[in-house]
Amino acid sequence: MKRRVLLLEPPYKNKYPPMGLMKLATYFKNCGDDVRFFKGSLKDLALDLFCSEFISQIDIKNFAEYINSFRQYIKTGQASFIESIPDFCDLRRENLLMQYRRRFRARDYTKFDVIAITTLFTFCWKETITTINESKNFLAESGRLLVGGIAASLVPEEIKRETGITPICGTLNKAGIIDKDNPEIIDSLALDYSILDEIDYIYPSSDAYFAYMTRGCIRNCPFCAVPILEPEYKNFISISSQINLINQKFGEKRDLLLMDNNVLASSKFNEIIDEIKLCGFSRGAMYTPPSDYDIAIKNLRENYNIRAYTRKIINLYDTLREKLTGQELENFNNYRGENGLIYPESASVNAILESDKYFRPLFAKFFRPRQRARYVDFNQGIDARLINDSNMAKLAEINIRPLRIAFDHYEQRDIYIRAVKIAVKHGIKSLSNYILYNFNDKPEELYYRLLINIDLCEELNADIYSFPMKYHPVRDRQILDEKIYSSCSGSNKRY
């Protein structure tokens, strides 16, 4: 039976999209389920759902421009939001809208059979716990509420105490974790990028393939969470099939962002680099961005994530409108109005597809993609202790930028300096480094490490960006309750 599935990311700010939920979206869609993704206040989700249900029962083409008024009435109950709508007053419509208003006040929200919630770092505690608890209002009586991710794996007892939900710890790297009889391993699935177009939030880094080519780490550093999150080191995970699937469904991505925690520890490092090259990321690699319009039209024709790609098309129309002037702009606006293509809520798939012959030449005229450089980023950093001439020569075969090296302790300065010099020797001059502080170190040692990088920049004519990362004990509730914002571009392993 087709399930209604809701994937939720709490409303914290984060740089990268939720890989776990994107894999779950692929999994549940492979199961034939109806999948929706949302990030933000769950009251806004309730309003979105009620408004969608309401407009599906009225002649929306006549009232499309008043969608926000319907939303505000459901939220506030103020009659002024609908009294001024021409030709709207109708007993059936008013009673229906009042029903949704009453349900909103009573928190009698639309129900889902499965709700899956991701968790980020423990400093996003308040938003995470609120989302988990409020999501229960959307759960069907016999539904399942799944909680996973980083915080859920690090502090599962605290999550259960605050929410009553026992989290899924670690990665979804075995069959049957979600559905016992399903043989698919969720962690190996390609990411569903379409769900990102279902929401208004824009991730600063989304035009990339996100993947792992190894898991875990051979080290057991006392400040590090990786032994808990990924206790087993895996030497090599092929990504070529995932990338091929992504290219076919969502178009090529610009960069390759790998979340490996210690790739140099792999005995198959050379094979990893060779596969990266085969995927289009050799040194000097360039790529031509695909047409967002073509991708959206293709997926609408294939009936794939209608909600996301309808929104995407309307947003693309809005972008195109900014490039038009004069009679061309007037004709464009009239065409959209006549065909109900101004608002995503009123736009039909048939109207979008039938209008392709009108819009396609305009997109071809005003959007001419240019070649761009594409880069590889081992985002979690590499181990300075394992750097040598051989692996740096191999690494230099790909378009790596930046090369991130951890500099966790001042005592390792000689190892770190040697590693940087070897990297630069092999032509890798764009570097970044993670500098752990507030963990068994002296305050001045942070300064000394920053100074070392300044001196190396001058000596080697290199560009080294330092990223200081303060150590926070993950089980310190004072820390958990702090509202700390981070770009989240640093290593998971230091939280």
Side-chain angles (χ1 to χ4, degrees):
M1 187 176 66
K2 192 175 188 177
R3 296 173 291 190
R4 296 194 70 187
V5 178
L6 176 62
L7 307 177
L8 292 177
E9 182 172 49
Y12 40 63
K13 294 181 180 179
N14 50 317
K15 186 174 182 180
Y16 303 123
M19 291 178 62
L21 294 185
M22 294 166 78
K23 292 179 181 180
L24 282 173
T26 300
Y27 171 80
F28 284 116
K29 287 178 184 178
N30 288 348
C31 294
D33 298 322
D34 178 24
V35 181
R36 176 185 286 266
F37 172 55
F38 186 80
K39 178 183 178 71
S41 165
L42 293 191
K43 287 186 177 180
D44 287 336
L45 172 61
L47 289 169
D48 288 348
L49 293 168
F50 283 152
C51 198
S52 295
E53 291 176 26
F54 174 70
I55 62 180
S56 69
Q57 300 178 62
I58 67 172
D59 185 1
I60 186 58
K61 285 187 178 180
N62 295 329
F63 303 106
E65 62 186 289
Y66 301 106
I67 289 169
N68 193 53
S69 296
F70 301 146
R71 180 187 177 92
Q72 290 302 315
Y73 176 82
I74 295 172
K75 181 178 182 179
T76 67
Q78 295 181 20
S80 59
F81 283 111
I82 59 173
E83 287 175 344
S84 59
I85 302 176
D87 302 320
F88 176 76
C89 292
D90 171 277
L91 187 59
R92 184 187 70 85
R93 294 192 196 111
E94 291 180 21
N95 286 340
L96 186 60
L97 205 53
M98 288 174 63
Q99 288 177 27
Y100 287 118
R101 166 61 183 163
R102 286 194 291 269
R103 287 181 61 187
F104 180 76
R105 291 190 65 190
R107 297 188 178 183
D108 178 20
Y109 300 153
T110 305
K111 306 301 182 185
F112 292 83
D113 302 301
V114 180
I115 299 177
I117 303 173
T118 189
T119 63
L120 197 59
F121 304 124
T122 52
F123 52 68
C124 303
W125 186 255
K126 182 178 180 181
E127 301 95 324
T128 300
I129 296 302
T130 298
T131 297
I132 296 171
N133 284 328
E134 290 186 354
S135 73
K136 297 171 186 176
N137 294 315
F138 294 84
L139 191 65
E141 187 173 346
S142 59
R144 299 170 64 193
L145 179 53
L146 310 174
V147 178
I150 295 173
S153 299
L154 294 179
V155 287
E157 300 87 358
E158 287 85 345
I159 296 262
K160 184 175 182 179
R161 184 166 58 246
E162 296 279 355
T163 67
I165 303 298
T166 300
I168 297 172
C169 296
T171 59
L172 301 174
N173 60 356
K174 296 178 182 178
I177 294 178
I178 303 297
D179 298 309
K180 290 183 180 179
D181 298 328
N182 194 315
E184 279 197 305
I185 297 175
I186 296 171
D187 194 46
S188 66
L189 296 176
L191 277 63
D192 184 347
Y193 285 79
S194 73
I195 68 171
L196 306 183
D197 287 311
E198 295 185 47
I199 61 174
D200 294 326
Y201 187 85
I202 298 175
Y203 297 91
S205 296
S206 58
D207 189 15
Y209 304 100
F210 298 91
Y212 292 86
M213 297 195 75
T214 64
R215 283 284 199 178
C217 180
I218 61 170
R219 311 292 183 187
N220 193 25
C221 301
F223 56 81
C224 181
V226 169
I228 300 173
L229 298 171
E230 301 173 18
E232 179 185 353
Y233 188 76
K234 293 185 178 180
N235 250 344
F236 178 52
I237 302 169
S238 176
I239 61 170
S240 57
S241 61
Q242 292 183 32
I243 287 181
N244 289 335
L245 287 170
I246 290 167
N247 290 345
Q248 294 168 20
K249 200 73 181 176
F250 312 113
E252 286 190 62
K253 303 300 175 184
R254 179 176 181 178
D255 299 323
L256 175 60
L257 195 147
L258 295 164
M259 310 299 286
D260 303 49
N261 289 294
N262 198 336
V263 69
L264 294 185
S266 174
S267 61
K268 297 184 178 294
F269 178 74
N270 287 350
E271 293 176 45
I272 288 172
I273 300 302
D274 289 340
E275 180 161 327
I276 291 172
K277 290 162 62 179
L278 288 173
C279 290
F281 290 90
S282 296
R283 188 162 191 143
M286 305 286 288
Y287 102 124
T288 302
S291 166
D292 288 341
Y293 177 78
D294 287 348
I295 293 166
I297 290 293
K298 177 183 76 71
N299 282 306
L300 286 173
R301 290 191 192 281
E302 295 175 359
N303 200 36
Y304 189 85
N305 203 341
I306 299 299
R307 184 184 310 108
Y309 287 111
T310 299
R311 281 174 51 96
K312 181 72 171 180
I313 283 288
I314 298 302
N315 288 336
L316 289 171
Y317 291 163
D318 291 342
T319 302
L320 177 59
R321 181 187 59 202
E322 301 302 315
K323 297 182 177 293
L324 305 178
T325 58
Q327 189 63 47
E328 196 170 39
L329 176 59
E330 183 177 345
N331 294 341
F332 179 84
N333 289 334
N334 289 339
Y335 188 94
R336 290 183 68 183
E338 292 166 3
N339 291 277
L341 298 175
I342 297 177
Y343 306 98
E345 294 84 356
S346 62
S348 72
V349 174
N350 285 340
I352 292 172
L353 296 179
E354 289 174 3
S355 299
D356 180 42
K357 58 183 178 294
Y358 174 79
F359 290 109
R360 183 173 293 277
L362 291 173
F363 279 101
K365 177 181 177 181
F366 289 100
F367 292 93
R368 298 177 181 175
R370 293 177 296 178
Q371 271 201 331
R372 301 177 183 177
R374 62 190 337 192
Y375 299 105
V376 180
D377 179 5
F378 284 96
N379 186 261
Q380 305 302 290
I382 65 173
D383 192 336
R385 291 162 289 188
L386 299 178
I387 287 178
N388 57 46
D389 278 299
S390 176
N391 55 35
M392 283 302 99
K394 191 66 178 177
L395 196 67
E397 295 178 9
I398 62 174
N399 242 21
I400 187 160
R401 179 178 175 184
L403 171 61
R404 303 179 190 270
I405 305 176
F407 191 4
D408 292 324
H409 307 288
Y410 180 63
E411 291 80 6
Q412 295 178 350
R413 57 192 179 276
D414 292 338
I415 295 172
Y416 173 77
I417 292 170
R418 174 182 172 276
V420 170
K421 288 184 175 181
I422 293 175
V424 172
K425 172 184 172 183
H426 291 279
I428 302 173
K429 290 194 168 187
S430 177
L431 300 102
S432 175
N433 70 313
Y434 296 123
I435 300 183
L436 176 74
Y437 71 100
N438 199 45
F439 181 83
N440 297 340
D441 58 333
K442 300 174 182 178
E444 61 269 24
E445 290 175 353
L446 170 61
Y447 170 78
Y448 293 149
R449 282 180 284 168
L450 294 173
L451 188 60
I452 285 172
N453 279 318
I454 293 172
D455 292 340
L456 285 172
C457 285
E458 295 180 358
E459 177 187 346
L460 304 175
N461 191 28
D463 181 13
I464 304 174
Y465 174 78
S466 295
F467 193 101
M469 302 184 70
K470 185 177 181 181
Y471 172 74
H472 292 297
V474 295
R475 286 184 170 79
D476 186 334
R477 282 309 303 269
Q478 182 178 359
I479 297 300
L480 291 174
D481 291 335
E482 283 179 356
K483 298 184 70 175
I484 305 172
Y485 165 68
S486 168
S487 66
C488 300
S489 62
S491 171
N492 296 351
K493 62 189 177 184
R494 289 167 180 77
Y495 290 88

